[in-house]
Amino acid sequence: MDVKSQRIAYGEALVELGTEHEGIVVLEADLGKSTMSFMFEEKFPCRYFEMGIAEANMISVATGLSLAGKVPFCSTFAVFATGRAYDQIRVGAIAGLNFNICGSSCGLSDFGDGSTHQSVEDIAIMRAIPGMTVLSPADAHQTKKMVRAMADHPGPCYIRVNRSDLPILTESVGEYKIGQIDVLRDGAESHVVIFATGIMVSMALEAAEKLAETGIAATVANVGTIKPLDKAAVLALAAKAELVVTAEEHSIVGGLGSAISETLQGNLTRPIRYVGIDDQFGTSALTYDELLVHYGLTVENIVEAACGRPKTAGGSI
């Protein structure tokens, strides 16, 4: 299976947009070689603004550029975007301004730098802002489509981008629009529906294969848009299954699992199990896989949830 970095796809998408639209501008907070926004700088240096380690100011400048008719994309690590600049993001959202934020190295993917650089609560933070669009691509292919959609979407948008190379899963999916949920494996009258996002989508597909070997039919839905969530699609998929499982590289507090639960509440009664991070911060490790195992974000954990078994303890680091 082909793999590609979401970060590279983000940088490529910015360059493509910049070629097509002179109003596209890019702002960076001293991490351009990591977020890959430097690709835009090389092509359009006069439309690239290096703001230094000043994330709050970066968002303030972006909102001003938006008022001037530009379409700004702001890039930095997810943990810095949602933490250091929250007030400025919120004020820009109150004004309904069109500005875009890339939260790079999301989740645990910055494995070597530990909890201060790992964002496991960014979806929850951004979901809580009225009018904010929250995107979480499954692969590089979907990342490109989402960035293009953000440029034309009114209001503020946030996209979380993984640091690692991830499998390409969505090439066969047609045109993309913000809000859609893509069924990547249809289990028909399924025993379980797995709503997954980000890196967990590929794991959910592998888990579905393992479940099929034991006679358990699983539908896998790629939830690339966390907000606005397609509630009708969620209810329709859940109605065909006996059990709902959510899988995300994020805290189980306020993330995809919470969004799915909120949708089911009062509309449809189904047992639901969550594969996510159990209200903890990240930590440092030698490899990304070590962290995924430690926090219970694996194919086996999804299989266990789908079989109704309790979550097993993670490995030591």
Side-chain angles (χ1 to χ4, degrees), residues 69-84:
K70 303 298 183 183
V71 181
F73 281 83
C74 305
S75 314
T76 186
F77 284 5
V79 70
F80 303 143
T82 56
R84 295 176 178 174

Side-chain angles (χ1 to χ4, degrees), residues 194-212:
I194 306 169
F195 293 103
T197 192
I199 189 176
M200 301 305 292
V201 176
S202 63
M203 295 189 194
L205 288 168
E206 188 174 342
E209 292 284 350
K210 292 181 178 295
L211 289 166

Side-chain angles (χ1 to χ4, degrees), residues 6 123 134-139 142 146 160 166 194-204 220-226 246-250 255-257 275:
Q6 290 184 339
I123 290 176
V134 182
L135 306 175
S136 176
D139 61 10
Q142 190 174 46
M146 285 183 172
R160 70 188 323 239
L166 300 181
I194 306 169
F195 293 103
T197 192
I199 189 176
M200 301 305 292
V201 176
S202 63
M203 295 189 194
V220 177
N222 170 26
V223 187
T225 304
I226 309 295
T246 64
E248 60 192 310
E249 186 196 14
H250 184 273
L256 172 64
V275 177

Side-chain angles (χ1 to χ4, degrees), residues 153-175:
H153 192 70
C157 295
Y158 174 77
I159 184 171
R160 70 188 323 239
V161 170
N162 195 287
R163 189 181 184 91
S164 302
D165 291 343
L166 300 181
I168 299 295
L169 307 170
T170 66
E171 276 188 317
S172 61
V173 177
E175 293 185 11

Side-chain angles (χ1 to χ4, degrees), residues 68-240:
K70 303 298 183 183
V71 181
F73 281 83
C74 305
S75 314
T76 186
F77 284 5
V79 70
F80 303 143
T82 56
R84 295 176 178 174
Y86 178 82
D87 184 38
Q88 287 71 24
I89 293 170
R90 182 176 180 273
V91 171
I94 288 173
L97 298 178
N98 179 22
F99 62 104
N100 304 292
I101 305 161
C102 172
S104 196
S105 294
C106 69
L108 303 167
S109 62
D110 189 5
F111 58 87
D113 288 331
S115 58
T116 58
H117 285 59
Q118 295 162 358
S119 184
V120 300
E121 69 277 11
D122 56 316
I123 290 176
I125 291 169
M126 302 308 272
R127 272 188 72 221
I129 299 177
M132 178 65 71
T133 294
V134 182
L135 306 175
S136 176
D139 61 10
H141 190 72
Q142 190 174 46
T143 300
K144 270 195 172 185
K145 288 187 174 183
M146 285 183 172
V147 172
R148 297 188 70 88
M150 290 165 71
D152 296 323
H153 192 70
C157 295
Y158 174 77
I159 184 171
R160 70 188 323 239
V161 170
N162 195 287
R163 189 181 184 91
S164 302
D165 291 343
L166 300 181
I168 299 295
L169 307 170
T170 66
E171 276 188 317
S172 61
V173 177
E175 293 185 11
Y176 174 80
K177 64 178 181 179
I178 287 175
Q180 75 185 46
I181 292 176
D182 299 314
V183 176
L184 300 184
R185 181 187 176 102
D186 189 355
E189 296 297 323
S190 305
H191 295 93
V192 59
V193 57
I194 306 169
F195 293 103
T197 192
I199 189 176
M200 301 305 292
V201 176
S202 63
M203 295 189 194
L205 288 168
E206 188 174 342
E209 292 284 350
K210 292 181 178 295
L211 289 166
E213 295 172 2
T214 65
I216 297 176
T219 291
V220 177
N222 170 26
V223 187
T225 304
I226 309 295
K227 184 184 175 186
L229 185 65
D230 187 340
K231 296 181 180 180
V234 170
L235 291 171
L237 289 167
K240 296 178 181 179

